Amino acid sequence: VEAVLRQADALMEAHPDSAFSLLDSLHYRLPMSRQETARYALLLAKATNKTYRPLVPCDSLLDIALNYYKKNSPDRATALLYKGRFEEEMGQTEKAIELLQEGLLIVQLDSDSSTIETKKHLLSSLANLYGDAGYYEKSLATYKDLYKISSKESDKASALTGLAFYYTAIEKPDSAMYYDYEALKHSYLSKDSLLISNLEHNLTERPVDDKENRGEK
């Protein structure tokens, strides 16, 4: 079991579909200890999420992981991330926010740089949910926090895109356009063609606020 889990983990970033296939087959082939099941739950949820599959099959496994990992464990924060995303898929926005906030509290207390990716995903999901729930000021603050900890150009672009959505939601289209342009600059630096294409599309669809152009407040 451990050998398969290590192999799936190694494949996760470059070949998530292969990682998912390995993990999916493992579930039916071998009995696992409680520790292995908790580890398996995190890897399967990650592979499922990366391959754009619904997280429904991971629900009970994530409950096992949450019961296994200690209160302040970074692995518990990861379990909370995917449990929160599962609740989001189920339309349980407030429950999802609660779980993600708990996960964020854990990684904020942990100074280990290895938790930075989990923290970025927690902030990104929280910012999106805050916006969907109409908590626009919380969404703004969370996107800013995400931008501060982002080192990759693509991550910075994503955070800036979130800020653009915030200003769209509060009907400030010129401010939204500004952040879309800033996001586009970072996307060019990242050389991510899909990200560039999406941002260029956003800019062509942006309305212009004539009041802001005239300097009116």
Side-chain angles (χ1 to χ4, degrees), residues 150-164:
S150 296
S151 56
K152 296 178 182 177
E153 298 296 339
S154 57
D155 290 338
K156 291 178 181 179
S158 295
L160 290 165
T161 301
L163 291 172

Side-chain angles (χ1 to χ4, degrees), residues 1-15 18-20 22-23 26 29-30 32 35-36 39-44 46-47:
V1 171
E2 184 57 33
V4 175
L5 294 180
R6 283 199 304 269
Q7 186 180 3
D9 196 15
L11 289 167
M12 190 69 69
E13 295 305 318
H15 305 286
S18 297
F20 177 84
L22 267 178
L23 294 164
L26 176 62
R29 287 194 291 120
L30 296 171
M32 287 182 274
Q35 179 184 13
E36 288 168 339
R39 172 78 171 141
Y40 171 77
L42 298 190
L43 287 170
L44 181 64
K46 187 174 183 178

Side-chain angles (χ1 to χ4, degrees), residues 19-89:
F20 177 84
S21 296
L22 267 178
L23 294 164
D24 192 45
S25 64
L26 176 62
H27 184 57
Y28 299 102
R29 287 194 291 120
L30 296 171
M32 287 182 274
S33 68
R34 190 160 167 260
Q35 179 184 13
E36 288 168 339
T37 302
R39 172 78 171 141
Y40 171 77
L42 298 190
L43 287 170
L44 181 64
K46 187 174 183 178
T48 300
N49 200 229
K50 276 183 167 291
T51 53
Y52 306 102
R53 291 176 167 90
L55 284 163
V56 174
C58 303
D59 184 28
S60 58
L61 287 167
L62 287 169
D63 287 337
I64 293 171
L66 287 170
N67 287 326
Y68 177 78
Y69 292 117
K70 294 180 181 179
K71 187 175 181 180
N72 292 325
S73 164
D75 286 326
R76 180 176 175 80
T78 302
L80 287 163
L81 166 66
Y82 292 113
K83 185 70 173 180
R85 288 183 173 179
F86 162 76
E87 294 294 349
E88 181 184 2
E89 287 180 4

